Amino acid sequence: QVQLVESGGGLVQAGGSLRLSCAASGRTFSITAVGWFRQAPGKEREFVAVISWISGLRYYADSVKGRFTISRENAKNTVYLQMNNMKPEDTAVYYCAQLQRYSDPGSVGSWGQGTQVTVSS
């Protein structure tokens, strides 16, 4: 199994930036892709971004394209989500997840515990 731990959440003003980290441990050699998801109060969890563990290929939800950047540092088994020009609608609990298939956000093998991000207007 792969264990994931997120960090870096917090409170930021609209237009500001935050960087989230997702540290993986356990059977990291089995990771195919890592995705970021978020869940706002009263809403369903939604896909944000994904990165292929081997190739580095990336894909983003339209709502964050051009503002968020997903990256990885394989030597540290860590994936990052750099969030710029943040908006109040970005407020949510952010989760990272190990995906079995890069092209399938539903193929979650394991979840992190989540980190709260709040954007004030």
Side-chain angles (χ1 to χ4, degrees), residues 31-54:
I31 296 176
T32 300
V34 174
W36 284 97
F37 296 76
R38 66 187 182 185
Q39 188 166 18
K43 295 188 176 180
E44 293 188 354
R45 193 171 300 189
E46 65 174 2
F47 166 79
V48 174
V50 61
I51 188 165
S52 170
W53 194 251
I54 301 300

Side-chain angles (χ1 to χ4, degrees), residues 23-110:
S25 61
R27 297 171 60 89
T28 56
F29 60 85
S30 67
I31 296 176
T32 300
V34 174
W36 284 97
F37 296 76
R38 66 187 182 185
Q39 188 166 18
K43 295 188 176 180
E44 293 188 354
R45 193 171 300 189
E46 65 174 2
F47 166 79
V48 174
V50 61
I51 188 165
S52 170
W53 194 251
I54 301 300
S55 70
L57 194 64
R58 311 168 193 187
Y59 184 80
Y60 299 92
D62 287 344
S63 58
V64 305
K65 203 172 294 183
R67 300 188 299 120
F68 291 10
T69 301
I70 189 170
S71 62
R72 77 202 191 296
E73 191 169 355
N74 290 45
K76 293 186 177 182
N77 292 323
T78 300
V79 172
Y80 304 98
L81 186 68
Q82 177 67 43
M83 305 184 291
N84 298 328
N85 189 23
M86 298 186 72
K87 304 175 181 180
E89 51 263 42
D90 294 322
T91 295
V93 177
Y94 283 70
Y95 301 87
C96 65
Q98 175 207 6
L99 300 182
Q100 310 285 15
R101 293 175 294 280
Y102 166 83
S103 59
D104 182 4
S107 65
V108 174
S110 57

